[in-house]
Amino acid sequence: MDDVSLELDDIQSGALFERPSPYVGTYLLLSIRDRHDGRELVRRLHQLLATAGEASKTGETSLTVAFTHQGLEALGVPQTSLDSFAPEFRQGMAARAEILGDTGESGPQHWEKPLGTPDVHVAVAVLSPDEERLRAVAEKARRAHAELPGIDLIWRQDCYQLATGRTSFGFKDGIGQPAVEGSGRPATNSHEQPLKAGEIILGYPDETGELAPMPIPEVLGRNGTYVVFRKLHTKVAAYRAYLRARATTRAEEDLLGAKMVGRWQSGAPLALTPDHDDPELGSDPHRNNDFRFGDDPRGFKCPLGAHARRANPRDALDEEGSVDVRLHRMIRRGTSYGPALPDGILEDDGVERGIMFVFAGAHLKRQFEFVKTQWLNDGIFIGAPLESDPLVGPRDEAGMFTIPHRPIRRRLQDLPPFVVTRGGEYCFAPSLSALRWLADLDT
Ligand code: HEM
């Protein structure tokens, strides 16, 4: 299967290798006021990455370093190079807000500062299996910037895996991921061929047989990947209260929640176990992603509008002239932040909690933006133009969610928004050789 040879030693490991589980971590945003200090910072981060690389491939501490477009500009990357990046990256996430559905409460005017401002230049993510190992690497990353007067630490967000191993709404996350040719990581869905490496890493052929548009010079683009991060606040109490009001039993609440996601809280997919949760299946990595939707075209098992089915319809769109789902896959590396809302609480406690959503892929537009705008925010592709994603969809007006059922479907009305965007950035995670190139710039 692996006829592609990926230059794994040159690629930052965060995109291709799983984060540790359980994990604790921290995200740092840095601003470069002096390009010489900026380059020194890059030199030091490169050294850290070169030594952390092996550890992250074995589920130890992982470190990822990425830059916004303004960050590359602040380092003095030549204009011809800056202009060669994907247009969406050049504009930045805040400028794409209307398109992405980040309006109203989720609009950039309400974002947590400095997210979405021109000050955000460098993003550093450190994820470790425990506090001790996190501190060791985070301290080195801290020293890398703290000694440089031209670098400011402007934001920090800690994250950790909740004790339940689940995310704030109560669901196991991070299950549905594509296998990538040449990564050496096994596929979890036996019905799906591994993705061409160029879908995730620049410089290799993608699913179209072409190389994804790559920034110049080659040393800067090759073996890099685009990274999207979004801080997403989850309104857990509102979500629970909504289900409570529509269900007569706890079992029915669980079922409605599962219908919205496409999986039970344990991670067990509705496609394999439509009527009840199966925690053993949910925790079995050999089985919990091994399914298709083709035998359930009308969504009696897993609704067409369920979050995970929208985000990856698998074979459900396999008709002549239809969308090629493989062009819209992505690697997700999300984490949780904030404390869990204790069981049984249905009232908002005003505490920030949610997901640091992280995407990695070679195509910002046809992967992240396409899935977000065409499949999560819009329901045209499933014949339900008025329905956005029941869990994560943006909603200026109350939403609707159809659950196919015989003899009559069920329709949930008046869905409020359950997720609010607190901010985010489009970044580029360069290869190790590109980091050296950036550190050595002499413009
Ligand atoms: C707070 C916001 C979000 C929450 C709570 C959430 C939660 C989940 C859960 C519980 C799953 C099922 C478990 C799994 O397969 O990992 C899932 C799957 C997925 N989500 Fe999200 N998600 C969120 C936002 C997003 C966004 C913004 C995107 C993309 C733009 C996205 C894309 C996906 C994809 C691609 C899958 C995997 C589908 C598959 O391959 O089966 N999610 N998400």
Side-chain angles (χ1 to χ4, degrees):
M1 133 194 141
D2 275 1
D3 52 357
V4 174
S5 139
L6 273 175
E7 289 156 8
L8 293 175
D9 290 339
D10 195 39
I11 299 169
Q12 292 198 47
S13 55
L16 295 176
F17 293 85
E18 300 284 310
R19 57 164 160 66
S21 177
Y23 63 84
V24 283
T26 189
Y27 299 90
L28 307 174
L29 294 181
L30 305 165
S31 199
I32 302 171
R33 275 184 294 105
D34 175 281
R35 67 169 57 166
H36 300 285
D37 280 356
R39 292 168 189 169
E40 179 55 27
L41 171 75
V42 174
R43 186 167 297 114
R44 294 175 181 193
L45 290 172
H46 169 266
Q47 265 165 17
L48 260 179
L49 270 170
T51 45
E54 272 315 301
S56 53
K57 287 175 195 157
T58 53
E60 292 273 326
T61 303
S62 89
L63 177 73
T64 304
V65 176
F67 300 86
T68 61
H69 191 251
Q70 300 96 283
L72 296 174
E73 214 170 359
L75 284 171
V77 170
Q79 197 60 42
T80 43
S81 261
L82 291 170
D83 293 346
S84 65
F85 280 87
E88 302 75 31
F89 171 72
R90 287 177 359 229
Q91 289 175 29
M93 189 187 289
R96 309 285 294 168
E98 287 278 333
I99 296 165
L100 294 172
D102 286 332
T103 54
E105 210 184 344
S106 290
Q109 69 277 23
H110 300 301
W111 284 6
E112 192 177 308
K113 293 288 168 292
L115 300 175
T117 70
D119 295 336
V120 181
H121 294 160
V122 188
V124 177
V126 189
L127 295 172
S128 268
D130 52 53
E131 288 284 352
E132 203 185 325
R133 278 177 276 189
L134 172 69
R135 261 198 303 273
V137 179
E139 175 53 24
K140 286 185 194 152
R142 194 194 66 78
R143 256 185 277 142
H145 68 76
E147 295 159 353
L148 299 169
I151 306 295
D152 294 329
L153 173 64
I154 53 171
W155 190 76
R156 172 182 167 166
Q157 174 68 59
D158 291 336
C159 65
Y160 57 95
Q161 184 161 311
L162 299 176
T164 51
R166 315 255 171 102
T167 50
S168 54
F169 286 127
F171 291 86
K172 187 175 158 81
D173 198 357
I175 307 170
Q177 303 275 21
V180 180
E181 264 188 24
S183 71
R185 314 302 282 170
T188 53
N189 183 357
S190 63
H191 308 288
E192 182 186 75
Q193 286 299 313
L195 278 189
K196 295 286 176 215
E199 288 295 315
I200 307 298
I201 306 292
L202 295 175
Y204 303 85
D206 66 15
E207 287 287 323
T208 67
E210 308 282 328
L211 295 186
M214 198 167 72
I216 52 167
E218 193 179 350
V219 62
L220 177 60
R222 187 176 169 77
N223 288 331
T225 186
Y226 288 104
V227 171
V228 173
F229 81 87
R230 282 162 79 72
K231 181 173 178 180
L232 300 173
H233 171 61
T234 50
K235 297 186 169 186
V236 180
Y239 165 80
R240 286 183 189 168
Y242 181 86
L243 293 182
R244 180 66 52 89
R246 266 121 194 120
T248 46
T249 60
R250 283 306 286 270
E252 193 187 355
E253 275 176 44
D254 288 350
L255 176 67
L256 293 181
K259 291 283 188 186
M260 285 187 185
V261 170
R263 291 181 183 268
W264 298 90
Q265 292 200 352
S266 72
L270 287 177
L272 298 181
T273 175
D275 301 323
H276 55 84
D277 197 355
D278 179 346
E280 214 174 293
L281 169 62
S283 59
D284 183 346
H286 300 295
R287 294 192 292 141
N288 64 11
N289 195 39
D290 200 11
F291 64 90
R292 289 189 276 201
F293 293 120
D295 65 339
D296 182 27
R298 301 187 47 202
F300 291 117
K301 290 196 278 184
C302 178
L304 276 59
H307 171 64
R309 181 163 176 167
R310 284 172 174 267
N312 177 14
R314 301 184 184 225
D315 59 333
L317 306 182
D318 280 358
E319 281 167 26
E320 212 182 321
S322 71
V323 197
D324 183 350
V325 170
R326 293 171 66 78
L327 299 182
H328 310 292
R329 302 302 314 283
M330 65 183 75
I331 297 281
R332 289 173 305 135
R333 290 283 179 252
T335 57
S336 288
Y337 73 90
L341 184 68
D343 267 351
I345 304 292
L346 272 66
E347 279 182 22
D348 187 16
D349 60 359
V351 174
E352 274 294 312
R353 58 174 60 84
I355 286 187
M356 286 291 294
F357 171 88
V358 178
F359 153 103
H363 298 270
L364 279 177
K365 193 178 170 104
R366 80 157 151 80
Q367 293 172 328
F368 171 71
E369 288 200 345
F370 181 93
V371 171
K372 178 77 176 90
T373 59
Q374 307 297 302
W375 288 352
L376 302 189
N377 296 1
D378 202 319
I380 293 174
F381 82 112
I382 51 167
L386 299 179
E387 298 189 22
S388 70
D389 188 299
L391 189 70
V392 315
R395 275 184 277 277
D396 289 336
E397 289 161 29
M400 198 162 70
F401 174 50
T402 305
I403 303 175
H405 190 70
R406 288 192 193 96
I408 42 170
R409 69 178 178 216
R410 177 156 186 193
R411 195 162 258 174
L412 297 183
Q413 305 278 3
D414 299 325
L415 275 162
F418 295 125
V419 173
V420 183
T421 308
R422 292 287 189 232
E425 297 289 345
Y426 285 168
C427 300
F428 179 69
S431 69
L432 271 75
S433 12
L435 286 166
R436 275 198 303 272
W437 182 86
L438 288 168
D440 290 344
L441 281 170
D442 59 1
T443 48

